[in-house]
Amino acid sequence: ESIYADGETNAPTQWAAHRAYQDLVQGDAEVWDYRKTSSHLDNDDIPTLFFGEMVFPWMADGDYAELSGLGLKHVADSLANKNDWPILYDTDRMCQVLEAGSSRAAAAIYYDDFYVDFDSSMKVANGPMEKMVSRKRTRSISLPRALVN
């Protein structure tokens, strides 16, 4: 979740996704506890939870335990508690570079993306860049060859 720590006003994240998820579980564990919902994947009445690209503190102890010995838990905790993030996204500078033609950009935007709101994507991609909007192959769209090379 460090991608959201854009400058010191948004840092540290302190496991924001985990804290938000814990609030949901405490409110209604039957609906939100992934250990309960994932044990009933054949039941359409129980929601499937999509965590997307989030990393939770317990993953280093469970799902990715083999990486814990390599320092994953320490690195993840350090990132979650980092409070001196620089500005990660200088949108004004990006627009200047793109408008000057010294760089190119492309955006793959999906109508039915599980993780990114369509209108938010269109707002961010509002600039001199090629936009590929699709509802077909979510998160696996191919970039035009001219942009890859």
Side-chain angles (χ1 to χ4, degrees):
E1 64 190 31
S2 56
I3 63 170
Y4 302 108
D6 189 20
E8 292 182 16
T9 58
N10 295 319
T13 61
Q14 296 177 322
W15 299 107
H18 178 68
R19 289 183 286 116
Y21 173 68
Q22 287 301 105
D23 288 345
L24 292 171
V25 171
Q26 288 174 0
D28 191 347
E30 291 299 317
V31 173
W32 293 105
D33 189 331
Y34 77 93
R35 291 168 293 206
K36 294 180 181 182
T37 61
S38 62
S39 65
H40 302 288
L41 294 177
D42 58 345
N43 184 344
D44 289 340
D45 293 330
I46 298 174
T48 301
L49 303 179
F50 292 100
F51 288 129
E53 297 145 355
M54 296 297 117
V55 176
F56 296 94
W58 45 262
M59 288 179 167
D61 296 326
D63 294 350
Y64 306 104
E66 67 275 6
L67 298 176
S68 292
L70 302 175
L72 175 68
K73 187 172 187 136
H74 175 73
V75 169
D77 281 331
S78 295
L79 288 172
N81 291 298
K82 182 176 173 59
N83 63 4
D84 60 347
W85 287 98
I87 299 295
L88 300 177
Y89 309 103
D90 185 345
T91 54
D92 292 336
R93 178 69 180 134
M94 286 189 284
C95 285
Q96 288 173 354
V97 168
L98 292 173
E99 288 169 0
S102 57
S103 185
R104 299 183 320 174
I109 302 168
Y110 307 100
Y111 285 108
D112 302 313
D113 195 313
F114 285 139
Y115 309 117
V116 182
D117 175 68
F118 176 78
D119 293 331
S120 296
S121 294
M122 292 301 288
K123 182 179 177 184
V124 170
N126 185 24
M129 66 176 63
E130 184 166 346
K131 296 167 199 64
M132 293 153 290
V133 180
S134 174
R135 92 173 358 112
K136 290 184 181 179
R137 297 177 2 194
T138 302
R139 300 229 172 215
S140 63
I141 195 168
S142 298
L143 291 174
R145 190 159 198 61
L147 293 172
V148 176
N149 296 330

